Amino acid sequence: RLGANGRLIALDRDPSAIAAGQAITDERFTLVHARFAELADVLDELGVTAVDGVLLDIGVSSPQLDDAERGMSFRQDAPLDMRMDTSRGETVAQWLARADEADIREVIRDYGEERFASAIAKAIVAARSERPVDTTYQLAQIVASAVRTREAGQHPATRSFQALRIFINKELEELSLVLPQALAVLKPAGRLAVICFHSLEDRIVKRFMADQANPPQPPRGLPLRADQLPRPTMTLIARIRARSEEVAANPRARSATLRVAEKVA
């Protein structure tokens, strides 16, 4: 879709994604092994001062879920890794081996919205006293033993796996850091589009865009000129969910939300 003079710059923290992207030989395409939060630094190194649009696809990817060795899913037994960037950082197994019960409970509660977080944390600490918790099946069984009830069709470990993955990859922090960078680098009338897959991500994007479109105003009665009042920096364009046809072809799209906002000229 790019014109002859168009340019696409892609960032991904996953070495496997970088390897796959290197098969694209189009001269208009630049691929960088970096986190979203490094967007401003990457563009600066490339000599790019402004862009027409930014698209952020947040969260885990299908290849990461489908590769058992990544440890993202409990559907196959594998090392308990969950890192998006396998070249650096601590695995979930390593963190669970050293974290105290309170920290485990907090992560599972806050990032997984899991009401049985306390029981799950206790079960993990008890289990690791006997042997290391270092495989996906092992963790899934521990969680299942501590969760008393669960929504129909959902595995008891779903929320806990989500929470640990989000935490170990600092996914919400990365999203919060990249949004203002994306706004800063957009040209006037440039658009920011963000695809999220669960409520924690979407809440951050929704609030950021809403704050830019409707900045907080000073108390009434302050002696300020009109040009001193906070002005909107973005206009809300769309909130889009996958239609039934798309979900039928790609079931993982069912939880996706796309939000789009445009930088005020």
Side-chain angles (χ1 to χ4, degrees), residues 1-10 20-31:
R1 296 280 182 164
L2 285 177
N5 297 318
R7 188 176 185 186
L8 175 63
I9 300 168
Q22 287 170 348
I24 301 173
T25 57
D26 195 310
E27 292 182 354
R28 299 169 297 176
F29 179 60
T30 302
L31 181 61

Side-chain angles (χ1 to χ4, degrees), residues 74-75 115 147 149-159 254:
F74 44 75
R75 302 192 184 285
R115 65 182 185 275
V147 173
T149 62
R150 177 54 67 224
E151 296 91 336
Q154 185 180 86
H155 190 284
T158 299
R159 293 178 182 272
R254 67 184 179 277

Side-chain angles (χ1 to χ4, degrees), residues 10-62:
L11 280 66
D12 205 298
R13 66 196 300 188
D14 187 341
S16 297
I18 298 299
Q22 287 170 348
I24 301 173
T25 57
D26 195 310
E27 292 182 354
R28 299 169 297 176
F29 179 60
T30 302
L31 181 61
V32 183
H33 182 205
R35 307 187 323 272
F36 282 160
E38 297 173 302
L39 174 66
D41 290 338
V42 168
L43 295 179
D44 186 55
E45 290 178 10
L46 294 173
V48 176
T49 58
V51 300
D52 297 294
V54 176
L55 169 63
L56 302 173
D57 188 358
I58 305 301
V60 70
S61 69
S62 286

Side-chain angles (χ1 to χ4, degrees), residues 13 35-37 169-178:
R13 66 196 300 188
R35 307 187 323 272
F36 282 160
N169 292 293
K170 295 182 171 58
E171 293 178 38
L172 302 186
E173 292 90 335
E174 289 286 319
L175 177 58
S176 296
L177 289 169
V178 73

Side-chain angles (χ1 to χ4, degrees), residues 229-246:
L229 295 174
R231 297 191 177 196
T233 56
M234 302 195 88
T235 300
L236 303 181
I237 299 296
R239 172 184 176 273
I240 303 169
R241 299 295 302 273
R243 294 178 178 174
S244 57
E245 298 87 352
E246 182 176 358

Side-chain angles (χ1 to χ4, degrees), residues 13-265:
R13 66 196 300 188
D14 187 341
S16 297
I18 298 299
Q22 287 170 348
I24 301 173
T25 57
D26 195 310
E27 292 182 354
R28 299 169 297 176
F29 179 60
T30 302
L31 181 61
V32 183
H33 182 205
R35 307 187 323 272
F36 282 160
E38 297 173 302
L39 174 66
D41 290 338
V42 168
L43 295 179
D44 186 55
E45 290 178 10
L46 294 173
V48 176
T49 58
V51 300
D52 297 294
V54 176
L55 169 63
L56 302 173
D57 188 358
I58 305 301
V60 70
S61 69
S62 286
Q64 289 168 343
L65 286 172
D66 295 338
D67 182 357
E69 292 305 307
R70 302 299 295 271
M72 300 282 189
S73 172
F74 44 75
R75 302 192 184 285
Q76 300 181 69
D77 198 18
L80 192 56
D81 192 323
M82 294 200 196
R83 292 173 298 166
M84 291 179 174
D85 186 346
T86 53
S87 68
R88 68 193 74 178
E90 192 174 34
T91 68
V92 167
Q94 290 169 335
W95 183 76
L96 287 178
R98 68 170 180 81
D100 61 36
E101 184 179 317
D103 288 339
I104 297 172
R105 178 180 67 249
E106 183 177 314
V107 165
I108 294 175
R109 180 194 66 207
D110 294 349
Y111 295 134
E113 300 177 298
E114 173 59 78
R115 65 182 185 275
F116 298 117
S118 181
I120 293 169
K122 288 181 181 178
I124 290 173
V125 170
R128 77 181 183 191
S129 67
E130 299 180 4
R131 52 177 290 204
V133 180
D134 54 13
T135 72
T136 55
Y137 271 5
Q138 187 183 0
L139 177 60
Q141 291 170 353
I142 293 168
V143 174
S145 69
V147 173
R148 296 189 296 277
T149 62
R150 177 54 67 224
E151 296 91 336
Q154 185 180 86
H155 190 284
T158 299
R159 293 178 182 272
S160 296
F161 268 67
Q162 170 189 293
L164 291 167
R165 190 204 79 224
I166 290 173
F167 167 75
I168 211 69
N169 292 293
K170 295 182 171 58
E171 293 178 38
L172 302 186
E173 292 90 335
E174 289 286 319
L175 177 58
S176 296
L177 289 169
V178 73
L179 290 171
Q181 294 180 41
L183 173 59
V185 78
L186 280 175
K187 297 176 183 178
R191 291 192 173 185
L192 171 63
V194 188
I195 305 172
C196 296
F197 287 84
H198 60 74
S199 60
L200 295 177
E201 298 168 344
D202 187 54
R203 195 174 302 142
I204 292 172
V205 177
K206 178 181 178 181
R207 288 177 178 172
F208 176 81
M209 290 182 172
D211 287 345
Q212 301 306 317
N214 302 285
Q217 298 297 310
R220 294 183 64 180
L222 283 182
L224 296 175
R225 299 190 308 271
D227 61 357
Q228 294 176 312
L229 295 174
R231 297 191 177 196
T233 56
M234 302 195 88
T235 300
L236 303 181
I237 299 296
R239 172 184 176 273
I240 303 169
R241 299 295 302 273
R243 294 178 178 174
S244 57
E245 298 87 352
E246 182 176 358
V247 174
N250 175 24
R252 285 175 178 163
R254 67 184 179 277
S255 58
T257 299
L258 168 64
R259 291 185 185 271
V260 184
E262 184 175 286
K263 188 169 184 176
V264 173

